Amino acid sequence: MVVPASDARRRAPAIALAAALAVLAIILALFLPAPTAGPPSASPSPSPAPPSPQPGPTSPPAPGSSPPAEEPQETDTPEAGQAPVEPPVTVPPVPPVPEPEPPEAPAQPPEPARPAPFPESLRGQDLTVIPGAGRVVALTFDAGANAAGLPKILSALAARGVAGTFFLTGNWAANNPQAVAQIVAAGHRVANHSMTHPGFTSLGDDLIAQQVRGAEQAILAAGADPRPLFRFPYGERDTRTIAAVNTLGYVAVRWTVDTLGWKGTSGGASIQTVADRVLAGLQPGEIVLMHIGSNPDDGTTLDADALPQVIDRITAAGYGFATLDAVLGH
């Protein structure tokens, strides 16, 4: 079919435009990258993670939509209707690393043995003299009643530079703390004479311990230390009671001569009889028993009154004086 020349001229621009569009499409296909799936990624920016969805019923997907991808669950074990999760990885416990033991301290030399409260050779004894003392006399004073004779006794001892030993009951020490302080301040020795001055042979070991420890505590509280010297009330003792006080850390000390000044003038004693009895028993290590208190019937204090003469006559006989620490080797 022959196209008229007028029609050909009208179609020529359209054909040229179509050819140009085809060439442009080819060029664009060659130089432009292929489009990627999904929306363009945004620049990274820190943002909190979206909250985890709570388990529960879900709405069915809309027709024609793709099912959403399943997200990991937060439960430790699978619940009904949930996808099971991987069990957590169990990491075995790491055994503790033992701390290095500190280096052993160098061996310390053993502590020296503490001395016994009294020489073992005195155990089981109730001493009547100071063993191996030589020409010395121990003047001892028992205190269980009152302190009537104490001022005269302290005065006579101080005037002649003599130290004595004072056996105190716990009750006396508790009732006369100032007197205890005066005895100690004057440099005299204090010893234990029980708490209430009972006869010991009728007491069980428990009561003996109460008497000895009670007096000890009362005398300590008054400012003196009686250990380890003990005198039995009334001089009443036996093998068992001596062993009991030894177990409590005390050595029993009796006497060589009792002046009997405690009898008072109403009992036939006098200053002269007191002094004569002391001198009659004079020997190395003599232990003289005197009393601080007054006679309850006549109020006399014969031992205190006779003390100056007693000291002078002992000195004249060539003897010195010692406290009962001498029995301990002091």
Side-chain angles (χ1 to χ4, degrees), residues 179-277:
V180 177
Q182 291 173 353
I183 292 169
V184 173
H188 302 298
R189 184 64 160 92
V190 173
N192 191 325
H193 197 33
S194 82
M195 186 67 192
T196 61
H197 205 271
F200 266 44
T201 55
S202 61
L203 301 180
D205 289 353
D206 290 345
L207 290 179
I208 289 175
Q210 290 179 21
Q211 284 288 327
V212 175
R213 293 294 186 223
E216 178 182 298
Q217 294 303 314
I219 295 169
L220 287 170
D225 190 342
R227 296 169 292 189
L229 302 172
F230 179 82
R231 175 169 282 165
F232 286 100
Y234 311 109
E236 183 184 300
R237 84 282 193 230
D238 55 20
T239 302
R240 179 185 66 86
T241 53
I242 292 173
V245 299
N246 288 164
T247 300
L248 296 169
Y250 285 86
V251 58
V253 182
R254 196 175 175 82
W255 55 83
T256 309
V257 59
D258 180 352
T259 67
L260 301 181
W262 54 269
K263 287 186 174 183
T265 54
S266 59
S270 67
I271 293 174
Q272 192 62 41
T273 62
V274 167
D276 288 347
R277 286 182 62 84

Side-chain angles (χ1 to χ4, degrees), residues 65-243:
S65 63
S66 300
E70 293 185 357
E71 296 184 2
Q73 304 295 317
E74 296 294 333
T75 55
D76 291 335
T77 56
E79 302 287 345
Q82 294 178 347
V85 297
E86 294 293 331
V89 177
T90 302
V91 179
V94 179
V97 178
E99 296 183 0
E101 295 184 0
E104 294 185 1
Q108 298 292 332
E111 293 185 3
R114 294 184 178 181
F118 56 86
E120 188 65 23
S121 60
L122 302 182
R123 187 175 296 276
Q125 298 190 50
D126 189 16
L127 297 173
T128 58
V129 294
I130 303 172
R135 294 174 67 85
V136 295
V137 172
L139 298 176
T140 69
F141 307 88
D142 285 5
N146 56 54
L150 184 62
K152 293 180 182 179
I153 291 171
L154 292 178
S155 177
L157 294 173
R160 289 158 175 80
V162 175
T165 302
F166 290 75
F167 284 90
L168 313 180
T169 66
N171 278 348
W172 193 92
N175 293 329
N176 299 277
Q178 292 182 344
V180 177
Q182 291 173 353
I183 292 169
V184 173
H188 302 298
R189 184 64 160 92
V190 173
N192 191 325
H193 197 33
S194 82
M195 186 67 192
T196 61
H197 205 271
F200 266 44
T201 55
S202 61
L203 301 180
D205 289 353
D206 290 345
L207 290 179
I208 289 175
Q210 290 179 21
Q211 284 288 327
V212 175
R213 293 294 186 223
E216 178 182 298
Q217 294 303 314
I219 295 169
L220 287 170
D225 190 342
R227 296 169 292 189
L229 302 172
F230 179 82
R231 175 169 282 165
F232 286 100
Y234 311 109
E236 183 184 300
R237 84 282 193 230
D238 55 20
T239 302
R240 179 185 66 86
T241 53
I242 292 173

